[in-house]
Amino acid sequence: MARPYNFSAGPAAMPVEVLEIAAREMLDWHGTGMGVMEMSHRGKAFGEIAAQAEADLRELLAVPSHFKILFMQGGGLAENAIVPMNLSRGGVVDFVVTGGWSQNSLKEAGRYAQTHLAASNADSRHTTLPAPASWQLSPDAQYVHICSNETIHGVEFQALPDLKALGSDAPLVVDFSSHVASRPVDWSRVGLAFGGAQKNLGPAGLTLVVVREDLLGHALPICPSAFNYKTVADNASMYNTPPTYAIYIAGLTFQWLKRQGGVAAMEARNIAKARLLYDFLDQSPFYENRVAPDCRSRMNVPFFLKDESRNEAFLAGAQARGLLQLKGHKSVGGMRASLYNAIPIEGVQALVDYLRDFEKEMA
Amino acid sequence: MARPYNFSAGPAAMPVEVLEIAAREMLDWHGTGMGVMEMSHRGKAFGEIAAQAEADLRELLAVPSHFKILFMQGGGLAENAIVPMNLSRGGVVDFVVTGGWSQNSLKEAGRYAQTHLAASNADSRHTTLPAPASWQLSPDAQYVHICSNETIHGVEFQALPDLKALGSDAPLVVDFSSHVASRPVDWSRVGLAFGGAQKNLGPAGLTLVVVREDLLGHALPICPSAFNYKTVADNASMYNTPPTYAIYIAGLTFQWLKRQGGVAAMEARNIAKARLLYDFLDQSPFYENRVAPDCRSRMNVPFFLKDESRNEAFLAGAQARGLLQLKGHKSVGGMRASLYNAIPIEGVQALVDYLRDFEKEMA
């Protein structure tokens, strides 16, 4: 049987080529006589792996030289605390709440800063995006936080807000966990971006932080050294032992992305993949997606069977067809298909074929 | 050529069988059609992997049922902050400083608690251990911190201190990163033990915490949710996405340890391995180990060539013989051989053979 398509929201499908290389190199990386897991993070071999991963990521995402790339631990959830510990200076921080993740970020930041809700889409149950012109930004905010793609609710910013144009000098903090490397980033609008690796980059346990250099050096005294961005940056992400194997796998993924044509090429594919699925859902009387068309996520597509009594049959049939991990998040229900970079359009076509067949079968 | 022996202090040598299984299962774990890296942490398959890993570890280390086992992120260095955020209640904490790691722990805890130096071996340059009877314990300490094996300085407690017998009711906090699973743990003397996985358990990026249940629930308000032990425990280590692949590899290592006869069998082998190396070093006029015999680490053996001008030739010759990563820590210099569980006695014998040959060659 062909390899199943895995629509998990994360940890998620990896490129097959990456897994094949990792399996082949497991006991001996490039003739060193060591697997990557066995290498000292201070040694020459791992130093090469980490430097290459960082350089490839900088190229792929076109990260300007005045931004530092940090490889950390703790995931997006830990960053909800680590960002305000590093950037808030205990002052006011603005949050734009657009779904489960930004809601969590707001709550956690309250331990370290005075949080201000600048805008919210709670009225629409997180199915729209509040227009930036309507945001109530604080004049003295230390930063403005958004989640540029809400994994649970399937809402995505199609462009990052231009805070300067909105009259704010605050840096923009972006949680881009679940769509990093799926589309280009306009760094001129960003102060800091962070993301867990386990969607589009690599294994869970690696966290990516990209931070403008001028924002370093203002951590609160209670910020743990291991999570002080300046300390991490000054030590090239090796102040504490980094998650070495996860960095290696992410590096293999970066090389795979380059072979695919880079982020612009991935974006074109991701647009085509998302369109294929949304177009099918929209024309069907059997399924529905509840997110407003202009802010639908290309990466995470929550959808519902209008007759939810058929959910279990749907999932069992999908599993039998080799379409895995389609169950929706518990806070939203229904189904969710995550179409990260590692999902080829053939996988989306297989899903659409199944959606059509299941609909007919139930008619 | 035979596989080299890798004496890295961590990340460190892994059992070959573990790497072979991991390579074989990389694209498909047990017929699920997914590699472990690709599994949702909330799914059935990964749930089984995590539960088995925890059960095996509990059996191997004989962890009593009133202790929780937590799989976290951040490494020992992050725990230096996370422990006092969870256990200090902002009060007094006692530290016994016996090397680089406990020194770091003391420094970091000062952000959250009133630290008290109860004992130190700094006078001997970390080559002895202060007798517990001489420790100046605080009457009101929230806990007493020790590092039971100092990776850098090669000093190991051969028994955990009995704080009750010393007149203290404070829980003992043990950093056992670099000798966990190399010998049994007397849990009756422990309140909390933590360790990075990357020495004896698995890949870097996974942190093990074993904590007595009655110590949960007292975190400082500034403790990030992701690092609040109670939150982590209440969610079976899945409050934030855990480092799933690292947990899987650690689980394979636990199964390997069970096949080897468990921790008691490993201890017998580790005693034999350490004796082989220390006995050779002690009889040689060419090398020296500077640690007092009664507190020498079985896991980490720092040693010096008496003529340090030969260090580079020594390391180059070792590399040529397939004896890897023997360079000492920068703060101590010289050499260091780490003899973790994955190093067989044949590896130690190969090292001793090389030590002898190099000494003869230089004579």
Side-chain angles (χ1 to χ4, degrees):
Chain A
M1 174 171 151
R3 192 161 200 263
Y5 294 111
N6 174 359
F7 298 95
S8 174
M14 301 277 302
V16 171
E17 280 176 60
V18 166
L19 296 177
E20 287 172 344
I21 296 169
R24 210 159 54 227
E25 297 183 338
M26 182 65 78
L27 279 90
D28 184 8
W29 185 81
H30 296 199
T32 56
M34 300 179 281
V36 175
M37 259 179 239
E38 305 179 294
M39 293 175 180
S40 168
H41 55 300
R42 309 268 179 220
K44 183 164 170 285
F46 185 74
E48 283 172 23
I49 289 170
Q52 187 68 48
E54 184 185 325
D56 285 339
L57 182 65
R58 192 176 285 278
E59 178 185 337
L60 279 166
L61 295 186
V63 178
S65 60
H66 62 293
F67 282 77
K68 293 283 191 186
I69 292 176
L70 312 180
F71 294 126
M72 299 184 64
Q73 297 183 52
L77 204 133
E79 288 299 326
N80 284 345
I82 295 169
V83 170
M85 285 198 285
N86 277 278
L87 263 54
S88 75
R89 308 188 196 200
V92 175
V93 291
D94 282 346
F95 281 81
V96 177
V97 168
T98 55
W101 276 96
S102 45
Q103 184 67 53
N104 279 341
S105 301
L106 165 67
K107 189 174 166 203
E108 185 79 2
R111 301 179 189 278
Y112 314 101
Q114 302 160 56
T115 56
H116 169 69
L117 182 65
S120 166
N121 65 354
D123 282 351
S124 72
R125 305 180 70 137
H126 308 309
T127 62
T128 59
L129 280 179
S134 71
W135 297 0
Q136 302 293 313
L137 299 174
S138 308
D140 54 347
Q142 297 296 323
Y143 62 86
V144 178
H145 177 112
I146 68 168
C147 175
S148 52
N149 185 65
E150 289 278 3
T151 323
I152 295 173
H153 291 90
V155 173
E156 182 172 15
F157 282 83
Q158 301 306 326
L160 293 178
D162 182 353
L163 295 186
K164 280 201 188 67
L166 299 172
S168 168
D169 283 330
L172 181 70
V173 168
V174 183
D175 173 357
F176 67 173
S177 292
S178 52
H179 72 165
V180 55
S182 75
R183 60 192 303 157
V185 176
D186 181 350
W187 292 104
S188 74
R189 298 185 173 185
V190 175
L192 180 148
F194 70 84
Q198 68 271 18
K199 283 92 159 67
N200 255 336
L201 302 181
L206 172 64
T207 313
L208 172 67
V209 175
V210 184
V211 55
R212 227 172 56 203
E213 281 175 347
D214 63 288
L215 299 176
L216 299 173
H218 306 288
L220 301 176
I222 51 91
C223 181
S225 314
F227 303 122
N228 182 313
Y229 293 140
K230 180 157 176 28
T231 305
V232 176
D234 288 348
N235 290 276
S237 300
M238 299 216 194
Y239 180 68
N240 64 345
T241 310
T244 51
Y245 195 74
I247 291 172
Y248 158 73
I249 296 288
L252 293 180
T253 305
F254 302 155
Q255 287 169 18
W256 176 82
L257 282 169
K258 287 171 74 175
R259 290 195 298 275
Q260 303 303 305
V263 168
M266 292 318 298
E267 181 180 39
R269 293 184 203 189
N270 288 326
I271 289 171
K273 284 154 54 184
R275 183 175 298 145
L276 179 58
L277 180 54
Y278 283 115
D279 282 356
F280 178 81
L281 293 171
D282 284 346
Q283 63 73 44
S284 164
F286 191 82
Y287 305 97
E288 65 174 327
N289 170 281
R290 298 173 184 165
V291 178
D294 64 339
C295 55
R296 286 176 171 175
S297 169
R298 296 172 185 163
M299 294 288 103
N300 309 102
V301 184
F303 63 94
F304 299 85
L305 278 61
K306 287 191 181 159
D307 178 357
E308 294 217 81
S309 72
R310 287 164 168 169
N311 281 0
E312 283 192 30
F314 176 87
L315 287 168
Q319 175 88 28
R321 287 251 202 142
L323 304 169
L324 308 182
Q325 305 199 106
L326 282 163
K327 193 173 176 182
H329 190 272
K330 62 187 173 191
S331 70
V332 172
M335 308 297 153
R336 177 174 47 171
S338 293
L339 312 181
Y340 298 127
N341 285 341
I343 299 282
I345 194 152
E346 292 79 8
V348 185
Q349 187 61 58
L351 173 60
V352 167
D353 291 346
Y354 172 64
L355 290 167
R356 185 180 292 116
D357 291 349
F358 186 79
E359 178 177 346
K360 277 186 198 154
E361 194 186 318
M362 293 295 132
Chain B
M1 175 168 150
R3 193 161 200 264
Y5 293 111
N6 173 1
F7 297 96
S8 174
M14 300 280 299
V16 170
E17 280 175 59
V18 167
L19 297 177
E20 287 172 344
I21 296 169
R24 210 158 54 224
E25 297 183 338
M26 182 65 80
L27 278 90
D28 185 6
W29 185 81
H30 296 198
T32 55
M34 299 180 281
V36 175
M37 258 180 241
E38 305 179 294
M39 292 175 181
S40 167
H41 56 299
R42 309 266 180 222
K44 185 165 169 285
F46 185 72
E48 285 172 22
I49 290 170
Q52 188 68 50
E54 184 185 326
D56 285 340
L57 182 64
R58 193 176 283 279
E59 178 186 336
L60 280 166
L61 295 186
V63 178
S65 60
H66 63 293
F67 283 77
K68 293 283 191 186
I69 291 177
L70 312 180
F71 294 125
M72 298 183 65
Q73 297 184 51
L77 203 132
E79 289 299 325
N80 284 345
I82 295 169
V83 171
M85 285 198 284
N86 276 278
L87 264 52
S88 75
R89 307 187 195 201
V92 175
V93 292
D94 282 346
F95 280 80
V96 177
V97 167
T98 55
W101 276 97
S102 45
Q103 184 66 54
N104 278 342
S105 300
L106 165 68
K107 188 174 167 204
E108 185 80 2
R111 301 179 189 277
Y112 314 100
Q114 304 161 55
T115 56
H116 169 69
L117 182 65
S120 165
N121 66 354
D123 281 352
S124 72
R125 304 180 70 140
H126 308 308
T127 62
T128 59
L129 280 179
S134 72
W135 297 0
Q136 302 293 313
L137 298 173
S138 308
D140 54 347
Q142 297 295 324
Y143 63 87
V144 178
H145 177 113
I146 67 167
C147 175
S148 52
N149 186 66
E150 290 278 2
T151 322
I152 296 173
H153 291 91
V155 173
E156 182 173 15
F157 282 82
Q158 302 304 326
L160 293 177
D162 181 353
L163 294 186
K164 281 202 186 67
L166 299 173
S168 169
D169 283 330
L172 181 69
V173 167
V174 183
D175 174 357
F176 68 173
S177 292
S178 53
H179 72 165
V180 55
S182 75
R183 59 192 303 157
V185 176
D186 181 350
W187 293 103
S188 74
R189 298 186 173 184
V190 174
L192 180 148
F194 70 84
Q198 68 271 17
K199 282 90 159 68
N200 255 336
L201 302 182
L206 171 63
T207 313
L208 171 68
V209 175
V210 183
V211 55
R212 228 171 55 204
E213 283 174 346
D214 64 287
L215 300 176
L216 300 172
H218 306 288
L220 300 176
I222 51 90
C223 180
S225 313
F227 303 122
N228 182 314
Y229 293 140
K230 181 157 175 25
T231 306
V232 177
D234 288 349
N235 292 278
S237 300
M238 300 217 192
Y239 181 69
N240 64 344
T241 310
T244 52
Y245 195 73
I247 290 173
Y248 157 72
I249 295 288
L252 293 180
T253 305
F254 302 155
Q255 287 169 17
W256 176 82
L257 282 168
K258 287 172 73 174
R259 290 196 298 276
Q260 304 302 305
V263 168
M266 292 317 298
E267 181 180 39
R269 293 184 204 188
N270 288 326
I271 289 171
K273 283 153 55 185
R275 183 176 297 147
L276 180 59
L277 179 53
Y278 283 115
D279 281 355
F280 178 81
L281 293 170
D282 284 346
Q283 62 74 43
S284 164
F286 192 81
Y287 305 98
E288 65 174 329
N289 170 281
R290 297 172 185 166
V291 178
D294 64 339
C295 55
R296 285 173 171 178
S297 169
R298 295 171 186 163
M299 294 288 102
N300 309 102
V301 184
F303 63 93
F304 299 86
L305 278 62
K306 287 191 181 161
D307 177 358
E308 296 217 79
S309 73
R310 287 164 168 170
N311 282 359
E312 282 193 29
F314 176 87
L315 286 168
Q319 175 89 26
R321 286 252 203 143
L323 304 169
L324 308 182
Q325 305 200 102
L326 282 162
K327 193 171 176 184
H329 189 273
K330 62 186 173 191
S331 70
V332 171
M335 307 298 154
R336 176 172 50 170
S338 293
L339 312 181
Y340 297 126
N341 285 340
I343 297 283
I345 195 152
E346 292 78 11
V348 185
Q349 187 62 56
L351 173 59
V352 167
D353 291 346
Y354 172 64
L355 289 168
R356 185 182 292 114
D357 292 350
F358 186 79
E359 177 177 346
K360 275 189 200 154
E361 194 186 319
M362 294 295 131

